[in-house]
Amino acid sequence: AQSVTQLGSHVSVSEGALVLLRCNYSSSVPPYLFWYVQYPNQGLQLLLKYTSAATLVKGINGFEAEFKKSETSFHLTKPSAHMRDAAEYFCAVSEGYRGSTLGRLYFGRGTQLTVWP
Amino acid sequence: NAGVTQTPKFQVLKTGQSMTLQCAQDMNHEYMSWYRQDPGMGLRLIHYSVGAGITDQGEVPNGYNVSRSTTEDFPLRLLSAAPSQTSVYFCASTSNTGEAKNIQYFGAGTRLSVL
């Protein structure tokens, strides 16, 4: 089974500052990696996903993540934070089911991002 | 464009009561899942299904039952509610084709309190 570690349950940045949310996974080469965002009282929305086509993945709202196999990491970044980025962010890893790459999703515990004006 | 629909949005139960959380998707996805979300714990998988008639347990299945009689519906049953089941429950369905392959689409959640 996969495991996902998100370093830092809370991250605070000023508006306009760099956002860096860290994620490490347990396996050497998982099939799929994801970042999801959850705004208050809502379900999770996909931010971006890695599928081995490129190590740097661009997502919505100016976010991007870089897959580093040697570090088993998939950190999420955004050059300039905006107030609307305040939300909880989840890193997730997909494990294949019965030989297929479609399967269970393992989530990290989440990182709450606060953006100060 | 409904996506994944969960009902009810809120529910309060007394200990020992049973209830069913409904989940329906209109995207013809084979794979569906139920998660619970608790503060500081992320999302934990309760049960999942890879198609009609096929279900399996996730990380925290105790106290919950599921069935999958159709592709569209995946209800979650609480057999005898306990305070430890107070949580936010999310249903998700997973695409298995094209660019969206393996992306999970989530419902808006059901907030359950067990007194």
Side-chain angles (χ1 to χ4, degrees):
Chain A
Q2 301 275 356
S3 70
V4 181
T5 303
Q6 290 184 240
L7 295 176
S9 58
H10 292 85
V11 170
S12 295
V13 299
S14 299
E15 194 170 20
L18 171 72
V19 175
L20 171 61
L21 305 182
R22 299 176 186 275
C23 172
N24 289 86
Y25 56 91
S26 61
S27 181
S28 57
V29 184
Y32 293 93
L33 291 160
F34 305 84
W35 276 98
Y36 282 85
V37 59
Q38 184 180 32
Y39 299 102
N41 299 315
Q42 294 186 25
L44 277 71
Q45 304 172 31
L46 181 71
L47 208 54
L48 51 82
K49 75 169 186 175
Y50 166 76
T51 60
S52 76
T55 56
L56 185 63
V57 182
K58 294 189 184 299
I60 62 172
N61 301 337
F63 284 92
E64 60 183 34
E66 186 174 8
F67 170 68
K68 291 188 176 180
K69 180 180 176 180
S70 61
E71 299 177 5
T72 60
S73 69
F74 191 56
H75 301 331
L76 182 71
T77 59
K78 182 173 181 177
S80 178
H82 193 278
M83 297 289 289
R84 62 174 174 261
D85 296 326
E88 189 157 22
Y89 293 80
F90 293 92
C91 182
V93 173
S94 174
E95 180 179 86
Y97 177 80
R98 294 180 181 175
S100 167
T101 55
L102 178 68
R104 298 173 58 158
L105 207 60
Y106 294 86
F107 284 89
R109 296 192 172 194
T111 298
Q112 182 67 47
L113 175 66
T114 300
V115 182
W116 300 101
Chain B
N1 192 11
V4 180
T5 303
Q6 289 184 240
T7 55
K9 293 190 187 304
F10 302 93
Q11 184 70 49
V12 179
L13 293 177
K14 295 181 179 178
T15 298
Q17 287 185 313
S18 63
M19 78 158 295
T20 299
L21 280 63
Q22 302 291 344
C23 176
Q25 52 96 4
D26 61 359
M27 297 174 282
N28 200 33
H29 292 165
E30 294 294 328
Y31 190 98
M32 296 184 72
S33 317
W34 274 103
Y35 297 88
R36 60 177 289 172
Q37 183 180 26
D38 302 291
M41 300 295 291
L43 277 77
R44 292 181 292 170
L45 184 66
I46 304 172
H47 286 284
Y48 64 100
S49 169
V50 297
I54 306 170
T55 64
D56 206 347
Q57 296 181 350
E59 302 171 65
V60 288
N62 293 339
Y64 307 95
N65 272 359
V66 292
S67 60
R68 186 92 180 273
S69 56
T70 67
T71 299
E72 294 77 20
D73 299 300
F74 190 43
L76 177 72
R77 297 183 186 85
L78 279 68
L79 309 173
S80 177
S84 61
Q85 294 179 304
T86 294
S87 187
V88 182
Y89 292 84
F90 288 101
C91 178
S93 73
T94 305
S95 172
N96 60 350
T97 58
E99 286 292 313
K101 186 174 182 178
N102 229 23
I103 293 175
Q104 294 205 2
Y105 296 87
F106 286 82
T110 295
R111 283 158 179 76
L112 176 67
S113 293
V114 183
L115 306 177

